Amino acid sequence: PAEPLLPQEANGVGGRAVRVGTRRSQLARIQTDSVVEMLRELYPDLHYEIVAMSTTGDKILDTALSKIGEKSLFTKELENALERNEVDLVVHSLKDLPTSLPPGFTIGAVCKRENPHDAVVFHPKSSGKTLGLLPEKSVIGTSSLRRAAQLKKKFPHLEFRDIRGNLNTRLKKLDEKEDFSAIILAAAGLKRMGWENRIGQILSPEDCLYAVGQGALAVEVRAKDQEILNMVSALHDEETVLCCIAERAFMKHLEGGCSVPVAVNSMLKDGQLYLTGAVYSLDGSDSLRETMQTSVNYPQQNEDGPNDDVQHVGITAKTVPRQAQQAAESLGVELASLLLSKGAKHILSIARQLNDAR
Protein backbone atom coordinates (compact mmCIF):
# COMPACT_ATOMS: atom_id res chain seq x y z
CA PRO A 1 0.00 0.00 0.00
CA ALA A 2 1.00 3.62 -0.33
CA GLU A 3 2.73 4.37 2.93
CA PRO A 4 1.16 7.33 4.74
CA LEU A 5 3.58 10.23 5.02
CA LEU A 6 5.73 10.27 8.10
CA PRO A 7 5.50 13.65 9.83
CA GLN A 8 9.05 14.54 8.86
CA GLU A 9 8.26 13.63 5.25
CA ALA A 10 5.14 15.71 5.20
CA ASN A 11 7.36 18.64 4.32
CA GLY A 12 5.58 19.07 1.04
CA VAL A 13 2.64 20.01 3.21
CA GLY A 14 4.69 21.18 6.18
CA GLY A 15 5.45 24.81 6.75
CA ARG A 16 1.96 25.81 5.70
CA ALA A 17 -1.38 25.12 7.25
CA VAL A 18 -3.54 22.30 5.92
CA ARG A 19 -6.83 24.06 5.17
CA VAL A 20 -9.90 21.99 5.86
CA GLY A 21 -13.27 23.00 4.35
CA THR A 22 -16.56 22.31 6.11
CA ARG A 23 -20.21 23.34 6.19
CA ARG A 24 -21.19 25.72 8.97
CA SER A 25 -23.75 23.50 10.70
CA GLN A 26 -22.88 22.31 14.19
CA LEU A 27 -22.88 18.65 13.12
CA ALA A 28 -20.62 19.38 10.13
CA ARG A 29 -18.20 21.20 12.45
CA ILE A 30 -18.15 18.31 14.92
CA GLN A 31 -17.52 15.84 12.09
CA THR A 32 -14.74 17.99 10.65
CA ASP A 33 -13.13 18.47 14.06
CA SER A 34 -13.08 14.68 14.55
CA VAL A 35 -11.26 14.20 11.23
CA VAL A 36 -8.77 16.97 12.03
CA GLU A 37 -8.15 15.31 15.42
CA MET A 38 -7.27 12.02 13.67
CA LEU A 39 -4.93 13.87 11.30
CA ARG A 40 -3.30 15.66 14.25
CA GLU A 41 -2.51 12.35 15.89
CA LEU A 42 -0.92 11.06 12.69
CA TYR A 43 0.85 14.29 11.73
CA PRO A 44 1.36 16.32 14.90
CA ASP A 45 3.83 18.70 13.24
CA LEU A 46 1.34 20.12 10.77
CA HIS A 47 -0.95 23.10 11.34
CA TYR A 48 -4.63 22.79 10.55
CA GLU A 49 -6.96 25.61 9.68
CA ILE A 50 -10.73 25.06 9.46
CA VAL A 51 -12.60 27.07 6.83
CA ALA A 52 -16.39 27.01 7.33
CA MET A 53 -18.88 28.04 4.62
CA SER A 54 -22.60 27.93 3.90
CA THR A 55 -23.93 25.72 1.10
CA THR A 56 -27.07 25.96 -1.01
CA GLY A 57 -28.62 23.13 1.01
CA ASP A 58 -28.08 25.10 4.21
CA LYS A 59 -29.82 28.15 2.75
CA ILE A 60 -32.89 26.61 1.10
CA LEU A 61 -34.87 25.47 4.10
CA ASP A 62 -38.44 25.80 2.89
CA THR A 63 -38.30 23.15 0.14
CA ALA A 64 -38.08 19.38 0.53
CA LEU A 65 -34.62 18.12 -0.39
CA SER A 66 -36.07 15.62 -2.83
CA LYS A 67 -37.82 18.45 -4.72
CA ILE A 68 -34.72 20.54 -5.27
CA GLY A 69 -33.27 17.59 -7.15
CA GLU A 70 -29.75 19.05 -7.11
CA LYS A 71 -27.35 16.24 -6.24
CA SER A 72 -24.53 18.42 -4.96
CA LEU A 73 -26.70 20.53 -2.68
CA PHE A 74 -24.40 20.35 0.32
CA THR A 75 -21.13 19.99 -1.55
CA LYS A 76 -20.97 22.47 -4.45
CA GLU A 77 -19.59 25.49 -2.58
CA LEU A 78 -17.06 23.31 -0.79
CA GLU A 79 -15.89 21.80 -4.07
CA ASN A 80 -15.58 25.26 -5.63
CA ALA A 81 -13.25 26.25 -2.79
CA LEU A 82 -11.26 23.04 -3.32
CA GLU A 83 -10.99 23.76 -7.03
CA ARG A 84 -9.79 27.32 -6.40
CA ASN A 85 -7.13 25.99 -4.03
CA GLU A 86 -8.68 27.87 -1.10
CA VAL A 87 -8.84 24.62 0.90
CA ASP A 88 -6.83 21.38 0.66
CA LEU A 89 -9.48 18.92 1.75
CA VAL A 90 -13.16 18.91 2.60
CA VAL A 91 -15.02 16.76 5.12
CA HIS A 92 -18.51 15.54 4.15
CA SER A 93 -21.07 13.02 5.26
CA LEU A 94 -20.50 10.37 2.60
CA LYS A 95 -24.22 10.13 1.96
CA ASP A 96 -24.23 13.76 0.73
CA LEU A 97 -21.69 12.98 -2.00
CA PRO A 98 -23.04 11.99 -5.44
CA THR A 99 -21.85 8.64 -6.85
CA SER A 100 -20.09 10.51 -9.68
CA LEU A 101 -17.86 13.33 -8.50
CA PRO A 102 -16.97 16.29 -10.74
CA PRO A 103 -13.76 15.71 -12.73
CA GLY A 104 -10.59 16.47 -10.78
CA PHE A 105 -11.95 15.41 -7.37
CA THR A 106 -11.77 12.16 -5.46
CA ILE A 107 -12.73 10.78 -2.05
CA GLY A 108 -9.29 10.29 -0.50
CA ALA A 109 -10.50 8.80 2.77
CA VAL A 110 -13.57 7.05 4.13
CA CYS A 111 -13.37 6.97 7.92
CA LYS A 112 -14.66 4.18 10.16
CA ARG A 113 -18.42 4.15 10.03
CA GLU A 114 -20.59 5.14 12.96
CA ASN A 115 -23.88 3.19 13.41
CA PRO A 116 -25.47 3.53 9.93
CA HIS A 117 -29.07 2.82 11.00
CA ASP A 118 -31.95 5.25 11.36
CA ALA A 119 -33.18 6.30 14.78
CA VAL A 120 -36.54 7.48 16.08
CA VAL A 121 -36.65 10.50 18.40
CA PHE A 122 -40.01 10.81 20.14
CA HIS A 123 -41.86 13.89 21.33
CA PRO A 124 -41.52 14.05 25.14
CA LYS A 125 -45.20 13.05 25.51
CA SER A 126 -44.59 9.81 23.56
CA SER A 127 -41.32 8.92 25.24
CA GLY A 128 -40.90 5.24 26.02
CA LYS A 129 -43.00 4.22 23.01
CA THR A 130 -41.98 2.62 19.70
CA LEU A 131 -43.39 3.46 16.24
CA GLY A 132 -45.66 0.42 16.41
CA LEU A 133 -47.19 1.64 19.68
CA LEU A 134 -48.00 5.19 18.57
CA PRO A 135 -51.72 5.98 18.25
CA GLU A 136 -53.47 5.92 14.87
CA LYS A 137 -52.71 8.95 12.63
CA SER A 138 -49.68 10.04 14.66
CA VAL A 139 -47.51 12.32 12.51
CA ILE A 140 -43.87 11.36 11.93
CA GLY A 141 -41.43 13.94 10.56
CA THR A 142 -38.85 12.98 7.92
CA SER A 143 -37.53 14.71 4.83
CA SER A 144 -36.34 11.41 3.36
CA LEU A 145 -38.42 9.62 0.71
CA ARG A 146 -36.47 6.46 1.51
CA ARG A 147 -37.52 6.49 5.17
CA ALA A 148 -41.12 7.45 4.47
CA ALA A 149 -41.61 4.79 1.78
CA GLN A 150 -40.38 1.96 3.99
CA LEU A 151 -42.12 3.07 7.14
CA LYS A 152 -45.50 3.76 5.47
CA LYS A 153 -45.53 0.15 4.37
CA LYS A 154 -44.46 -1.17 7.73
CA PHE A 155 -46.60 1.17 9.88
CA PRO A 156 -49.71 2.01 7.81
CA HIS A 157 -51.40 3.60 10.86
CA LEU A 158 -48.90 6.49 10.89
CA GLU A 159 -48.74 9.66 8.78
CA PHE A 160 -45.49 11.07 7.40
CA ARG A 161 -44.73 14.74 6.87
CA ASP A 162 -41.69 16.65 5.63
CA ILE A 163 -39.45 18.30 8.19
CA ARG A 164 -36.35 20.26 7.16
CA GLY A 165 -33.52 22.08 8.83
CA ASN A 166 -30.37 20.95 10.58
CA LEU A 167 -30.51 18.57 13.54
CA ASN A 168 -30.89 21.33 16.12
CA THR A 169 -33.79 22.90 14.19
CA ARG A 170 -35.58 19.59 13.70
CA LEU A 171 -35.31 18.60 17.35
CA LYS A 172 -36.58 22.04 18.36
CA LYS A 173 -39.58 21.70 16.02
CA LEU A 174 -40.31 18.31 17.54
CA ASP A 175 -40.02 19.38 21.18
CA GLU A 176 -41.62 22.82 21.06
CA LYS A 177 -44.65 22.12 18.89
CA GLU A 178 -47.29 19.45 18.98
CA ASP A 179 -47.06 18.83 15.21
CA PHE A 180 -45.02 15.65 15.36
CA SER A 181 -45.16 12.57 17.58
CA ALA A 182 -41.67 11.58 16.45
CA ILE A 183 -38.99 12.33 13.86
CA ILE A 184 -36.60 9.96 12.10
CA LEU A 185 -32.92 10.89 11.97
CA ALA A 186 -29.64 9.09 11.31
CA ALA A 187 -28.37 7.52 14.53
CA ALA A 188 -24.83 8.58 13.56
CA GLY A 189 -25.63 12.29 13.60
CA LEU A 190 -27.34 12.06 16.99
CA LYS A 191 -24.39 10.16 18.45
CA ARG A 192 -21.85 12.64 17.08
CA MET A 193 -23.83 15.54 18.54
CA GLY A 194 -23.84 13.81 21.93
CA TRP A 195 -27.61 13.32 21.85
CA GLU A 196 -27.65 9.57 22.07
CA ASN A 197 -30.00 9.81 25.05
CA ARG A 198 -32.71 11.13 22.67
CA ILE A 199 -32.75 7.91 20.64
CA GLY A 200 -35.99 6.14 21.49
CA GLN A 201 -35.69 3.34 18.95
CA ILE A 202 -33.07 2.19 16.44
CA LEU A 203 -34.71 0.88 13.28
CA SER A 204 -33.53 -2.59 12.29
CA PRO A 205 -32.94 -3.55 8.63
CA GLU A 206 -36.33 -5.32 8.80
CA ASP A 207 -38.00 -1.98 9.57
CA CYS A 208 -35.89 0.36 7.47
CA LEU A 209 -32.80 -0.08 5.31
CA TYR A 210 -30.44 2.90 5.44
CA ALA A 211 -29.12 5.37 2.89
CA VAL A 212 -26.07 4.68 0.75
CA GLY A 213 -22.97 5.77 2.72
CA GLN A 214 -24.97 6.69 5.83
CA GLY A 215 -22.89 7.01 9.00
CA ALA A 216 -19.55 7.32 7.19
CA LEU A 217 -17.43 10.47 6.84
CA ALA A 218 -15.62 11.17 3.58
CA VAL A 219 -12.61 13.39 2.92
CA GLU A 220 -12.72 14.90 -0.56
CA VAL A 221 -9.48 16.12 -2.14
CA ARG A 222 -8.10 17.21 -5.51
CA ALA A 223 -7.35 13.99 -7.40
CA LYS A 224 -3.96 15.29 -8.55
CA ASP A 225 -2.81 16.48 -5.13
CA GLN A 226 -0.61 13.47 -4.29
CA GLU A 227 0.70 14.92 -1.02
CA ILE A 228 -2.71 15.51 0.48
CA LEU A 229 -4.04 12.26 -1.00
CA ASN A 230 -1.23 10.26 0.62
CA MET A 231 -1.71 12.12 3.85
CA VAL A 232 -5.46 11.47 4.22
CA SER A 233 -5.32 7.90 2.90
CA ALA A 234 -4.12 6.83 6.36
CA LEU A 235 -7.68 7.54 7.58
CA HIS A 236 -9.30 4.84 5.41
CA ASP A 237 -11.17 2.10 7.29
CA GLU A 238 -11.04 -1.00 5.07
CA GLU A 239 -14.37 -2.50 6.10
CA THR A 240 -16.19 0.83 5.67
CA VAL A 241 -14.50 1.43 2.31
CA LEU A 242 -15.61 -1.94 0.90
CA CYS A 243 -19.18 -1.62 2.19
CA CYS A 244 -19.51 1.91 0.83
CA ILE A 245 -18.01 1.07 -2.59
CA ALA A 246 -20.61 -1.70 -2.93
CA GLU A 247 -23.45 0.61 -1.81
CA ARG A 248 -22.37 3.47 -4.09
CA ALA A 249 -21.95 1.14 -7.09
CA PHE A 250 -25.47 -0.21 -6.45
CA MET A 251 -26.92 3.31 -6.35
CA LYS A 252 -24.95 4.47 -9.38
CA HIS A 253 -26.02 1.52 -11.52
CA LEU A 254 -29.66 2.16 -10.55
CA GLU A 255 -29.17 5.87 -11.28
CA GLY A 256 -30.79 6.65 -7.96
CA GLY A 257 -30.43 10.03 -6.27
CA CYS A 258 -32.15 12.07 -3.62
CA SER A 259 -35.41 12.05 -5.54
CA VAL A 260 -36.07 8.30 -5.39
CA PRO A 261 -36.34 5.81 -2.53
CA VAL A 262 -33.26 3.56 -2.74
CA ALA A 263 -31.97 1.84 0.40
CA VAL A 264 -29.22 -0.56 1.44
CA ASN A 265 -27.72 -2.63 4.23
CA SER A 266 -24.20 -4.02 4.03
CA MET A 267 -21.99 -6.16 6.21
CA LEU A 268 -18.51 -7.64 6.06
CA LYS A 269 -18.09 -10.95 7.86
CA ASP A 270 -15.37 -13.59 7.57
CA GLY A 271 -14.09 -12.19 4.28
CA GLN A 272 -17.58 -12.14 2.74
CA LEU A 273 -19.28 -8.87 1.82
CA TYR A 274 -23.08 -8.99 2.03
CA LEU A 275 -25.19 -6.32 0.36
CA THR A 276 -28.95 -5.93 0.61
CA GLY A 277 -30.46 -3.35 -1.71
CA ALA A 278 -34.02 -2.21 -2.30
CA VAL A 279 -36.12 0.25 -4.30
CA TYR A 280 -39.56 1.51 -3.33
CA SER A 281 -42.52 3.36 -4.72
CA LEU A 282 -43.22 6.60 -2.82
CA ASP A 283 -45.96 5.05 -0.69
CA GLY A 284 -43.98 1.85 -0.19
CA SER A 285 -46.71 -0.34 -1.71
CA ASP A 286 -44.42 -1.47 -4.50
CA SER A 287 -40.89 -2.62 -3.69
CA LEU A 288 -38.06 -4.91 -4.71
CA ARG A 289 -35.44 -6.16 -2.29
CA GLU A 290 -32.60 -8.65 -2.78
CA THR A 291 -29.37 -9.69 -1.05
CA MET A 292 -26.13 -10.87 -2.65
CA GLN A 293 -22.65 -11.64 -1.37
CA THR A 294 -19.09 -11.91 -2.65
CA SER A 295 -15.66 -12.73 -1.26
CA VAL A 296 -13.40 -9.73 -0.65
CA ASN A 297 -10.64 -11.81 0.89
CA TYR A 298 -7.67 -10.59 -1.13
CA PRO A 299 -4.15 -9.75 0.00
CA GLN A 300 -2.76 -6.26 -0.47
CA GLN A 301 -0.36 -6.32 -3.40
CA ASN A 302 2.37 -3.83 -3.92
CA GLU A 303 1.32 -2.40 -7.21
CA ASP A 304 3.25 0.62 -8.24
CA GLY A 305 2.70 2.25 -11.54
CA PRO A 306 0.54 4.75 -13.29
CA ASN A 307 -2.75 3.02 -12.44
CA ASP A 308 -2.04 3.56 -8.76
CA ASP A 309 -4.95 5.92 -8.35
CA VAL A 310 -7.83 3.89 -9.67
CA GLN A 311 -11.13 5.31 -8.46
CA HIS A 312 -14.04 3.08 -7.52
CA VAL A 313 -17.27 5.08 -7.56
CA GLY A 314 -15.33 8.20 -6.69
CA ILE A 315 -13.17 6.63 -3.95
CA THR A 316 -9.38 6.36 -4.15
CA ALA A 317 -8.28 3.83 -1.52
CA LYS A 318 -4.59 3.08 -1.92
CA THR A 319 -4.48 1.25 1.41
CA VAL A 320 -7.20 -1.30 0.51
CA PRO A 321 -6.48 -4.32 -1.75
CA ARG A 322 -7.48 -3.40 -5.28
CA GLN A 323 -9.09 -6.78 -6.05
CA ALA A 324 -11.26 -6.41 -2.96
CA GLN A 325 -12.43 -2.97 -4.14
CA GLN A 326 -13.15 -4.39 -7.58
CA ALA A 327 -15.17 -7.25 -6.05
CA ALA A 328 -17.16 -4.78 -3.91
CA GLU A 329 -17.96 -2.60 -6.91
CA SER A 330 -19.02 -5.63 -9.00
CA LEU A 331 -21.29 -6.77 -6.17
CA GLY A 332 -23.13 -3.43 -6.18
CA VAL A 333 -23.50 -3.46 -9.96
CA GLU A 334 -24.74 -7.07 -10.03
CA LEU A 335 -27.29 -6.46 -7.29
CA ALA A 336 -28.59 -3.37 -9.13
CA SER A 337 -28.75 -5.36 -12.39
CA LEU A 338 -30.78 -8.04 -10.64
CA LEU A 339 -33.31 -5.46 -9.35
CA LEU A 340 -33.44 -3.78 -12.78
CA SER A 341 -34.18 -7.14 -14.39
CA LYS A 342 -37.13 -7.49 -12.00
CA GLY A 343 -38.62 -4.09 -12.84
CA ALA A 344 -36.80 -1.58 -10.61
CA LYS A 345 -36.61 1.00 -13.41
CA HIS A 346 -40.41 1.15 -13.61
CA ILE A 347 -40.80 1.60 -9.83
CA LEU A 348 -38.15 4.33 -9.75
CA SER A 349 -39.38 6.26 -12.78
CA ILE A 350 -42.91 6.41 -11.36
CA ALA A 351 -41.50 7.49 -7.99
CA ARG A 352 -39.53 10.22 -9.74
CA GLN A 353 -42.56 11.48 -11.69
CA LEU A 354 -44.79 11.49 -8.60
CA ASN A 355 -42.15 13.29 -6.58
CA ASP A 356 -41.73 15.93 -9.29
CA ALA A 357 -45.48 16.45 -9.35
CA ARG A 358 -45.84 16.83 -5.56
Side-chain angles (χ1 to χ4, degrees), residues 144-203:
S144 154
L145 299 178
R146 170 189 60 81
R147 291 170 180 150
Q150 295 182 78
L151 296 171
K152 276 175 187 169
K153 174 96 197 266
K154 181 92 184 169
F155 303 103
H157 70 293
L158 301 176
E159 286 182 12
F160 293 85
R161 212 173 288 157
D162 264 337
I163 185 167
R164 278 288 318 278
N166 59 37
L167 280 186
N168 311 52
T169 313
R170 280 183 270 179
L171 280 175
K172 213 171 139 125
K173 282 181 183 170
L174 171 70
D175 292 343
E176 294 181 2
K177 296 187 170 154
E178 299 285 318
D179 299 358
F180 299 99
S181 299
I183 57 178
I184 317 287
L185 301 164
L190 288 161
K191 289 178 96 161
R192 290 189 183 118
M193 293 284 275
W195 294 336
E196 212 167 341
N197 62 328
R198 288 303 309 263
I199 297 177
Q201 180 181 5
I202 295 264
L203 296 173

Side-chain angles (χ1 to χ4, degrees), residues 301-330:
Q301 291 165 319
N302 266 333
E303 307 168 47
D304 283 332
N307 54 354
D308 217 336
D309 296 345
V310 181
Q311 286 195 25
H312 292 278
V313 275
I315 296 170
T316 302
K318 302 177 174 197
T319 55
V320 178
R322 189 175 302 167
Q323 286 165 290
Q325 295 183 59
Q326 195 52 62
E329 184 164 0
S330 300

Side-chain angles (χ1 to χ4, degrees), residues 52-70:
M53 51 197 103
S54 289
T55 65
T56 312
D58 297 312
K59 293 171 190 152
I60 309 177
L61 292 176
D62 49 358
T63 312
L65 285 180
S66 58
K67 292 291 284 183
I68 306 169
E70 166 64 56

Side-chain angles (χ1 to χ4, degrees), residues 254-265:
L254 280 177
E255 296 177 4
C258 248
S259 56
V260 285
V262 172
V264 293
N265 184 63

Side-chain angles (χ1 to χ4, degrees), residues 83-143:
E83 191 166 27
R84 291 192 300 263
N85 245 330
E86 292 165 8
V87 295
D88 300 301
L89 53 119
V90 174
V91 179
H92 302 280
S93 293
L94 182 58
K95 72 171 183 179
D96 289 340
L97 280 173
T99 50
S100 298
L101 297 181
F105 297 113
T106 188
I107 296 165
V110 179
C111 307
K112 189 170 171 54
R113 196 175 210 166
E114 178 53 87
N115 181 337
H117 296 282
D118 287 317
V120 190
V121 177
F122 292 91
H123 186 281
K125 67 169 192 272
S126 303
S127 96
K129 286 197 161 62
T130 60
L131 286 180
L133 295 175
L134 286 175
E136 192 82 21
K137 297 259 185 287
S138 293
V139 177
I140 311 301
T142 171
S143 49

